[in-house]
Amino acid sequence: MALAIPISEPAPSPAAPETSGTLTVDLAAIEANWRTLVHELLTVECAAVVKANAYGLGLEPVTTTLVTAGCKTFFVADIAEARSVRSRAGEAAIYVLDGFTPDWGDAFIEVNARPVINSTTELAEWDAFVSARSWQGGAALHIDTGMRRLGIAPDEAAALAPRAQTENHGIALIMSHLACADTPDHPLNATQIKLFRDLHMLYSGIPASLANSSGIFLGDTAHYDLARPGAALYGVNPTPGKPNPMQSVVELTGRILQLRNVERDETVGYGATWTAKRASRIAVVALGYADGLVRSGGGTDEHPGGAAIVAGKRCPIVGRISMDLVCIDVTDLPAGAVHRGEHATLVGGDIGVDDVAAAAGTIGYEILTRLGPRCHLVYRGG
């Protein structure tokens, strides 16, 4: 006979003295980023995408902050996230991007959430469910205009359009997703915007949503009735190649465990990928890829890596980043400027998540969602 093992509550964030890293999330900066989009760029409603635990930064505190700022619509990945948002946003509209499955049906009623319908099969299942339950909660209809992941095909959307003119049609929103909005000159942007405009005309009177974070910066033709920023709220640059209009949101610091001398032509780290070109001073910091940094973000003999701020100065990361440790070249700091037990900043100051991502060959989204699972977590400004 199997034993039932009780499931305990998640462990709290480690206390600061018990871990070597600290992740700080600036809730005031998240609010400021939302307000920047609302007041400087949009004349339509601004929702918030808080999927993936608010991009790794904490679904409930982030939702609370945005509700206080005035946000009235949220997008999440699944029904569990919808439940968390509802606990902090009693009156908000909540859309579930992963769509509808009959297993989640009753939870949609309980939470008062709306599925984003991604196929005609889902739509049939949703129709059967709401008919059986006499539920009038509404759903979003996701049209694939060029991303080619989820969503009903344009010809299917056109065939379904007469439904929008019937009573109790149940479509609260039509939406699509831009594939290349972070590359403003990409021709697919214009193709998707035109196709969505043509389809929207068939759904007269139903609100529409197309623009993600970068899509907001493509201009009014992408805004429609509801914008859906995600990454921009959390400090990722929605305009790559241009100055970031968003405030930085996160800071990741780690304790310096040791300072050591490395002679010229000696190597540092796994694989001996970085060789000292001079006698060097190396700070070994207690952070690694288990804390959300990316293994490939360190400097090698062939390629420069990322950087950290030590004693107020930007210093290069050298050698491969390992699970628990990262090595920083502090040779150019004045003698006595840095000591064991002090902290280095791996994200924060003039080192944004996009800088960390670029050094590792990835994107700021991935860095954000990986950061700090075992760090002491601090919220400020909320």
Side-chain angles (χ1 to χ4, degrees):
M1 178 178 177
L3 294 176
I5 301 174
I7 299 174
S8 60
E9 291 295 319
S13 166
E18 297 178 1
T19 183
S20 294
T22 297
L23 177 65
T24 302
V25 178
D26 188 342
L27 296 172
I30 293 174
E31 178 178 346
N33 288 338
W34 186 81
R35 291 186 183 279
T36 293
L37 298 175
V38 169
H39 297 300
E40 298 183 16
L41 290 159
L42 293 170
T43 57
V44 300
E45 183 185 350
C46 186
V49 180
V50 292
K51 63 180 181 176
N53 192 31
Y55 286 51
L57 303 185
L59 183 55
E60 292 183 358
V62 169
T63 297
T64 299
T65 296
L66 291 169
V67 167
T68 301
C71 186
K72 294 180 171 59
T73 303
F74 293 86
F75 288 80
V76 297
D78 55 33
I79 199 70
E81 289 185 340
R83 192 180 299 278
S84 292
V85 170
R86 180 60 71 208
S87 73
R88 296 295 187 271
E91 302 300 323
I94 303 173
Y95 288 95
V96 177
L97 293 163
D98 285 356
F100 178 75
T101 173
D103 292 342
W104 290 353
D106 290 335
F108 274 104
I109 297 176
E110 181 184 348
V111 176
N112 189 17
R114 299 171 177 176
V116 174
I117 300 299
N118 293 302
S119 71
T120 53
T121 298
E122 277 185 35
L123 181 60
E125 291 176 340
W126 174 249
D127 283 345
F129 172 78
V130 297
S131 176
R133 297 293 194 279
S134 299
W135 173 241
Q136 308 263 338
L141 189 63
H142 181 193
I143 305 169
D144 177 15
T145 57
M147 177 69 85
R148 297 184 180 87
R149 298 184 309 182
L150 297 175
I152 67 172
D155 59 341
E156 293 173 324
L160 286 169
R163 170 180 176 146
Q165 308 310 316
T166 64
E167 189 177 1
N168 299 324
H169 54 72
I171 304 172
L173 181 74
I174 65 166
M175 58 182 283
S176 190
H177 194 62
L178 294 165
C180 303
D182 56 353
T183 309
D185 295 332
H186 198 289
L188 186 54
N189 290 322
T191 299
Q192 287 191 268
I193 290 171
K194 181 181 184 305
L195 179 55
F196 190 69
R197 183 185 68 233
D198 292 345
L199 290 169
H200 180 227
M201 292 175 65
L202 303 177
Y203 285 79
S204 176
I206 296 180
S209 177
L210 179 63
N212 54 8
S213 289
S214 293
I216 291 171
F217 291 81
L218 295 178
D220 293 350
T221 56
H223 292 174
Y224 290 91
D225 302 290
L226 180 72
R228 310 190 309 269
L233 301 177
Y234 312 113
V236 172
N237 189 355
T239 58
K242 298 179 180 180
N244 191 350
M246 303 290 104
Q247 293 186 25
S248 178
V249 168
V250 296
E251 180 183 71
L252 179 67
T253 62
R255 191 184 310 276
I256 297 173
L257 300 180
Q258 188 178 101
L259 292 158
R260 60 181 304 136
N261 296 317
V262 173
E263 298 302 321
R264 180 177 177 176
D265 295 328
E266 290 185 335
T267 62
V268 170
Y270 283 119
T273 59
W274 183 84
T275 306
K277 296 179 173 56
R278 57 179 176 172
S280 302
R281 185 82 163 150
I282 303 298
V284 183
V285 176
L287 288 172
Y289 56 73
D291 304 292
L293 302 176
V294 180
R295 181 173 178 264
S296 58
T300 69
D301 291 340
E302 287 76 30
H303 302 287
I309 298 173
V310 182
K313 302 293 184 181
R314 193 180 180 107
C315 302
I317 297 171
V318 297
R320 285 181 182 160
I321 295 172
S322 54
M323 184 180 293
D324 307 306
L325 302 170
V326 60
C327 295
I328 302 167
D329 185 353
V330 295
T331 309
D332 291 332
L333 294 180
V338 58
H339 303 89
R340 174 177 175 266
E342 295 177 342
H343 285 78
T345 299
L346 278 295
V347 184
D350 67 348
I351 301 175
V353 291
D354 295 296
D355 299 313
V356 177
T362 184
I363 57 175
Y365 299 66
E366 182 179 2
I367 299 298
L368 273 180
T369 55
R370 292 165 55 103
L371 284 179
R374 60 179 181 175
C375 290
H376 176 58
L377 181 59
V378 175
Y379 289 102
R380 68 184 184 203

